[in-house]
Amino acid sequence: MQPLTLKQFNETYFYKTELVQLCQRYRLPTYGTKAELNNYIRLYLRGQPVNTIHPVRVAQSKSQLKLEEITLNTKLVGSGFSFNDEARQSFAHYFDVAQFSFTKEMAALKRQAEATQDTNMSVGDLISECQKLAQLKQYNQIIQRTPEEQTYQWNNFVKAFCQSPESQQFSQKLKVASILWHHVKQSKRAKKYTPDLINVYVSDIRQFHN
């Protein structure tokens, strides 16, 4: 297997499982988000010694909390708190809704607390900070500039394609998006949907025309 270069790495889209495998091969930290794993590998490919590349966060080893154990005073770091079904039920009770979904802002704030080992930040603080972001009406712009949002390339690609005028001519939009994405992922193009892809790969998607 030929050594991977930084240029090749930057020009290739990797799924998270592939990033974990690369980190294992190079003896790098394997726990984290795609953005964090990407950063470890880039540091290594730039020549930084492996023993100086340390994990931003570590997996929480403590047993995860049950519903009845989660309160506004529960600490995000070191308590066993996790964004699981138990926490989802707790938040649903707090906001008095039938179902609750964790937001990107919540995930980003929790990762930040883990990265800085902030053992003071609580569930109540998390809720308060997210409400402040929502009130400022600026959280969309903030999140879009973070490395995490940049890793959602496939989701953004599908969304952009399905909302485009060109997609209306196809009977199986997701199938067409998948074919186009496969080509884009393997190419040196920007990992996003553009209308010219329809013409570039017309022979592969012609069968799905309405």
Side-chain angles (χ1 to χ4, degrees), residues 33 117 122 145 167 185 188:
T33 64
Q117 282 297 295
S122 66
R145 291 195 295 267
S167 69
K185 185 171 74 73
K188 296 181 180 180

Side-chain angles (χ1 to χ4, degrees), residues 67-83:
L67 172 61
E68 60 273 13
E69 298 176 306
I70 301 173
T71 70
L72 292 178
N73 294 322
T74 298
K75 305 303 181 183
L76 297 186
V77 177
S79 67
F81 175 80
S82 177
F83 286 152

Side-chain angles (χ1 to χ4, degrees), residues 46-144:
R46 290 185 184 122
Q48 184 167 328
V50 171
N51 60 0
T52 65
I53 301 175
H54 304 295
V56 175
R57 300 178 297 126
V58 294
Q60 301 295 310
S61 59
K62 188 168 182 176
S63 300
Q64 295 182 351
L65 298 177
K66 300 297 184 182
L67 172 61
E68 60 273 13
E69 298 176 306
I70 301 173
T71 70
L72 292 178
N73 294 322
T74 298
K75 305 303 181 183
L76 297 186
V77 177
S79 67
F81 175 80
S82 177
F83 286 152
N84 55 17
D85 287 338
E86 301 289 328
R88 187 174 290 106
Q89 292 180 53
S90 177
F91 278 60
H93 292 165
Y94 177 83
F95 288 104
D96 194 22
V97 294
Q99 292 184 327
F100 180 85
S101 297
F102 299 111
T103 65
K104 293 177 182 178
E105 295 78 25
M106 288 181 169
L109 287 169
K110 186 173 184 295
R111 285 194 296 269
Q112 182 180 9
E114 292 171 345
T116 59
Q117 282 297 295
D118 184 351
T119 56
N120 292 318
M121 189 171 188
S122 66
V123 169
D125 295 328
L126 176 69
I127 293 173
S128 177
E129 289 300 313
C130 287
Q131 289 175 331
K132 289 178 183 177
L133 288 174
Q135 291 169 357
L136 289 172
K137 297 182 180 180
Q138 295 176 344
Y139 65 93
N140 279 334
Q141 290 83 0
I142 295 172
I143 291 299
Q144 286 171 2

